[in-house]
Amino acid sequence: LELLIAKVDGDAAAWLSFDQCVEVVEQFRDVGQKIFDTHAAMYGAAMEEERMRRREPEWNADETMTKDQSDRLSIFRVPMFLEQLDGFREELRAWSVEGSGRRAQVPIIHSLLDGDQVEVNLGGGISWIPAKIVNVRVDGLFDVQLFNGEESDGIRR
């Protein structure tokens, strides 16, 4: 687990304890399972709707739907699942900000992704140059494209 966290963010290994790593993995596993279960339920509901539609007589667009048919439309069922997914995202966000007693002192470092706009300091002085991340490397460094099109590789955070 410690090797995994070092691969994701080399600096994190210095300030995350093993217990904190376990907590992060457990939290993501638990919320990830809830997200998976919600997607499975949404898929199951769609499949059940398809089975019900196949058992009904064919419906024409000029006909009025029955209340049961309209209630089963995805447009009315999907928001319930999306609200659940939003709740899980909020649960994870709240946990990441509030944390538990074991991780209260862990600094928050936001992830940087390919395409993110950043500023880089290439010379260590006071000048910062606008750039775009073109590659987040597994060693924790970044390859960037500067505002003038030039590329610079192996930039530290």
Side-chain angles (χ1 to χ4, degrees):
L1 193 55
E2 290 167 336
L3 290 174
L4 175 63
I5 198 73
K7 289 276 188 199
V8 173
D9 181 349
D11 295 334
W15 46 261
L16 276 179
S17 71
F18 180 77
D19 287 344
Q20 290 167 328
C21 292
V22 169
E23 181 184 354
V24 169
V25 169
E26 288 174 347
Q27 183 68 23
F28 275 86
R29 180 202 60 211
D30 294 346
V31 174
Q33 186 63 54
K34 291 176 188 178
I35 291 169
F36 176 83
D37 292 345
T38 300
H39 280 281
M42 189 166 32
Y43 177 77
M47 295 306 293
E48 178 60 27
E49 170 60 18
E50 179 63 22
R51 283 189 288 277
M52 291 176 80
R53 284 185 185 166
R54 288 177 189 262
R55 289 192 298 258
E56 294 175 344
E58 194 167 317
W59 179 76
N60 293 318
D62 341 345
E63 299 174 13
T64 304
M65 287 184 153
T66 66
K67 171 129 176 59
D68 181 55
Q69 287 172 320
S70 66
D71 287 347
R72 290 188 338 245
L73 287 173
S74 296
I75 194 168
F76 299 115
R77 289 182 295 119
V78 170
M80 171 189 70
F81 294 110
L82 296 179
E83 287 170 9
Q84 288 176 357
L85 294 171
D86 286 344
F88 301 142
R89 183 179 61 220
E90 177 56 26
E91 176 185 342
L92 196 55
R93 189 209 59 77
W95 173 83
S96 72
V97 171
E98 298 161 13
S100 72
R102 290 190 300 181
R103 66 174 291 281
Q105 300 302 313
V106 175
I108 296 173
I109 295 181
H110 299 283
S111 297
L112 294 172
L113 305 172
D114 291 357
D116 284 354
Q117 297 294 320
V118 295
E119 291 182 336
V120 296
N121 182 329
L122 297 176
I126 60 171
S127 292
W128 291 83
I129 303 167
K132 177 175 76 172
I133 296 175
V134 294
N135 184 32
V136 177
R137 299 174 11 175
V138 295
D139 62 2
L141 300 177
F142 302 90
D143 299 336
V144 299
Q145 181 180 38
L146 306 176
F147 73 99
N148 62 2
E150 291 180 29
E151 293 201 4
S152 187
D153 298 336
I155 304 296
R156 290 195 167 282
R157 186 178 182 116

